[in-house]
Amino acid sequence: MAVDVFELAKINQVAHRYMNQTLTQIENSIRSDFVYFRWAVPKDRIVVFRESLPIPPNIFEPGRQRMVTSYNLSEEQFRAITKLGADASGREGERSEEEGARRLRLHWAIERKPQLVAAFKASLTSFACTVCGFDFERTYKERGIGFIECHHTKPVAEIRPGEKTRLSDLRAVCSNCHQMLHRKPMLTVEELRDVVEGK
């Protein structure tokens, strides 16, 4: 720190009391100052880097002392650097992003008929998943009564205009299995059941 102050004194970038002092005098001044002055830094602002980081020149300008330019960091630059390190307790820095912005989008929607889904659920004698057997009521009690997702054995995107979907084209599946059925490459209910059963 004394070396930094000594170099900054050459370009008039330090407090007047450090001007025209030798390196030893500056070091002694800093030692005495620190008896009275301490920098209080909140724990969440302390970052530990496990290895050296290449700092982009637009953040710390080459040839300028870090004591000057470190104060010139924008909040965005500070966050960008601290995300690369761990906090004072050694935990890796937690990533955070702003979400929830409102954006208007216009797109084609593939229409589903809620009346068909309601009729399908009304026809069920069991609300257990036909792939893995998971039962929402058994796990979530009253909150899970009558809850199950409706899977189209023929993807809705492949249904042509005028083509009709029958109740027999639908399957009762839990949310996890529904996601797995639609993951590429898509599987049939029977194929996914084989996966779950380890066949």
Side-chain angles (χ1 to χ4, degrees):
M1 184 177 286
V3 172
D4 287 342
V5 173
F6 185 72
E7 291 298 320
L8 291 169
K10 292 178 183 177
I11 55 172
N12 298 319
Q13 293 290 317
V14 291
H16 183 71
R17 62 199 166 111
Y18 292 123
M19 300 297 291
N20 302 317
Q21 288 189 3
T22 66
L23 181 59
T24 305
Q25 289 171 326
I26 289 174
E27 186 176 353
N28 291 335
S29 294
I30 289 173
R31 286 185 192 282
S32 67
D33 288 347
F34 268 82
V35 173
Y36 306 103
F37 305 117
R38 288 184 174 83
W39 293 340
V41 181
K43 268 183 151 179
D44 64 342
R45 302 284 285 193
I46 299 174
V47 178
V48 179
F49 297 107
R50 301 193 189 285
E51 54 190 59
S52 61
L53 299 170
I55 303 296
N58 64 335
I59 294 180
F60 288 107
E61 298 172 28
R64 296 195 59 196
Q65 298 299 321
R66 63 181 162 77
M67 287 184 65
V68 172
T69 56
S70 61
Y71 293 125
N72 294 335
L73 285 177
S74 69
E75 188 68 21
E76 184 180 332
Q77 290 170 324
F78 176 84
R79 286 182 181 164
I81 292 173
T82 56
K83 282 176 188 174
L84 302 173
D87 66 19
S89 64
R91 295 183 302 241
E92 292 303 318
E94 181 180 3
R95 179 167 183 151
S96 64
E97 300 286 345
E98 286 185 23
E99 293 187 304
R102 301 296 182 259
R103 191 172 295 168
L104 175 63
R105 289 184 178 171
L106 299 175
H107 59 88
W108 288 103
I110 298 170
E111 192 175 57
R112 291 168 172 78
K113 294 288 186 185
Q115 301 90 335
L116 184 66
V117 173
F120 170 70
K121 290 185 178 182
S123 73
L124 295 175
T125 56
S126 167
F127 284 88
C129 176
T130 55
V131 175
C132 70
F134 182 83
D135 187 314
F136 284 90
E137 183 179 353
R138 192 179 319 136
T139 301
Y140 299 110
K141 311 301 184 255
E142 186 176 332
R143 188 174 185 83
I145 294 174
F147 186 86
I148 197 71
E149 294 195 10
C150 177
H151 173 67
H152 290 69
T153 55
K154 181 172 184 179
V156 177
E158 295 177 12
I159 298 174
R160 296 178 183 168
E163 191 176 346
K164 295 193 175 180
T165 302
R166 299 166 301 187
L167 292 182
S168 58
D169 296 324
L170 306 175
R171 299 288 183 275
V173 295
C174 70
S175 309
N176 285 348
C177 287
H178 205 183
Q179 290 293 320
M180 291 298 101
L181 285 165
H182 283 276
R183 192 171 187 191
K184 306 291 185 200
M186 287 182 64
L187 299 178
T188 65
V189 168
E190 293 72 28
E191 288 169 335
L192 186 61
R193 189 183 300 129
D194 287 347
V195 171
V196 170
E197 293 173 357
K199 292 181 181 176

